[in-house]
Amino acid sequence: MEHTHERRDFMKLAIAAGTPLALGASPARVLGRGDPAQADDASFFDTVRTRRSVRRFQPTPVPDAHLTRILDAARLAPTSGNQQPWKFLVVRDRAAIDRMREACIERALDARRARGITVTPEMTDAVKESMRGYFSAPVYVVVLTDNESRYPTYNHWDGPLAAGYLMLAARALGYGTVFITDSIPDDVTRTVLDIPARYTRVCITPIGVPAAWPDTPTKKDLDDFIVHERF
Ligand SMILES: Cc1cc2nc3c(=O)[nH]c(=O)nc-3n(C[C@H](O)[C@H](O)[C@H](O)COP(=O)(O)O)c2cc1C
C-alpha cells in the first residue's frame, strides 16, 4: 500500500511539473484484483484527466526506453478476435519530419487557394508557424492497421484503440501527443515514409515534452452522455 501512495504522489508531482517521469523511477504498484474497493487507480485517472492534444513541443529527446514502454502499452489494447492488426511506424529522422512539414505547408495553402481564398503573406506565415508547432516533436508514430489482417473489417475499431492507449501511456510518462488526421494528410505520410498500400493509416501522433500543456477545451457534462436503462 505504501508503494501505491508513493507512486500516486510521484505521478502528481510529475504531472504538475509537466515533466517526463524518470525511467524506472516509479515504484512497483499493485492493482486491486477483482475487488474494486482494493484498487487504487488515482494515477490512472490523473493521466486520463490531464491528457491533452499538444501541437507544439520542446526539443527534449524521448529516450528509446520510454518509447518502448509507450508502444508496449499500445499493443495491449483490445482487438477483435485478438487479431492485433497494427504496425507502429516510428519516425525520428529530422530530414523526413521536415519533408512532411514542407509538404503540409504546401497542402494547407493549396487547400485555401482551391476554396478561392487569396493567400496573403500573413496567411502563409501563420500556416508555417502552425506547422512548425506540429513538427517540433523529436519523434512521431504513425499508427497503421494491416488490410490483410484476419478480420480487416474490424480494423477501424482496433486501430483507434491502440492510438488511445498510446496517448494515455505517453501522458503517464509526461509526454504530449495529438491524434492527427487532416492536419497531416494521409498521402503526405504515405509518400514521405514509403507506407505500402497494404496499411491503412489510423493517425499520426507526435510524442514529446509539450512547449506548454494546453488548457482543457470545453467538455460536455457527463450527464449529456448517459442514458439510463432505455432510450
Ligand atoms: C478522429 C480524430 C481526428 C483528429 N484530427 C486532428 C487533426 O487533424 N489535427 C489536430 O490538430 N487535432 C486533431 N484531433 C485532436 C482533437 O482536435 C482533440 O482531441 C480535441 O480538440 C479535444 O482536445 P483534447 O484532446 O485536448 O481533449 C483529432 C482527434 C480525433 C479523435
Side-chain angles (χ1 to χ4, degrees):
M1 251 341 205
E2 201 48 44
H3 277 169
T4 310
H5 291 302
E6 274 173 40
R7 163 82 185 169
R8 191 196 306 158
D9 293 345
F10 191 67
M11 279 296 296
K12 273 189 188 145
L13 283 174
I15 286 170
T19 51
L21 296 182
L23 191 64
S26 51
R29 166 162 173 268
V30 181
L31 285 176
R33 289 188 189 278
D35 177 3
Q38 296 298 310
D40 182 352
D41 281 346
S43 64
F44 172 77
F45 288 103
D46 278 346
T47 299
V48 171
R49 188 177 49 77
T50 60
R51 182 209 54 77
R52 287 276 70 74
S53 291
V54 176
R55 300 177 177 88
R56 192 169 297 272
F57 300 86
Q58 298 176 32
T60 319
V62 175
D64 279 342
H66 280 180
L67 191 62
T68 300
R69 284 188 80 186
I70 291 166
L71 297 179
D72 199 40
R75 61 114 187 162
L76 295 176
T79 54
S80 44
N82 200 27
Q83 63 161 344
Q84 304 165 69
W86 315 290
K87 287 284 182 199
F88 305 126
L89 172 57
V90 177
V91 185
R92 290 187 182 276
D93 176 18
R94 194 25 70 186
I97 294 166
D98 287 344
R99 279 205 297 283
M100 287 194 284
R101 190 193 61 213
E102 289 302 320
C104 286
I105 292 169
E106 285 309 310
R107 283 310 190 72
L109 296 176
D110 284 348
R112 282 165 180 72
R113 288 187 198 103
R115 294 205 304 271
I117 298 169
T118 307
V119 171
T120 62
E122 293 74 25
M123 220 179 267
T124 306
D125 287 348
V127 167
K128 284 185 176 172
E129 190 49 33
S130 159
M131 289 302 164
R132 253 196 294 278
Y134 276 115
F135 289 100
S136 55
V139 57
Y140 292 75
V141 176
V142 189
V143 178
L144 303 160
T145 53
D146 184 352
N147 303 335
E148 295 177 22
S149 67
R150 196 155 180 205
Y151 310 111
T153 56
Y154 286 77
N155 285 357
H156 70 278
W157 284 294
D158 296 341
L161 277 164
Y165 273 45
L166 182 158
M167 293 190 292
L168 288 174
R171 180 63 191 96
L173 290 174
Y175 297 110
T177 55
V178 52
F179 189 115
I180 296 176
T181 51
D182 296 352
S183 302
I184 304 179
D186 184 288
D187 64 303
V188 168
T189 40
R190 207 165 277 284
T191 305
V192 174
L193 307 174
D194 292 330
I195 300 171
R198 168 174 173 166
Y199 295 96
T200 296
R201 190 186 77 166
V202 176
C203 68
I204 175 170
T205 179
I207 301 177
V209 177
W213 282 101
D215 291 337
T216 307
T218 308
K219 299 282 180 185
K220 295 179 187 173
D221 291 334
L222 178 58
D223 283 349
D224 292 337
F225 300 103
I226 300 174
V227 179
H228 288 286
E229 313 301 349
R230 188 165 285 166
F231 240 102

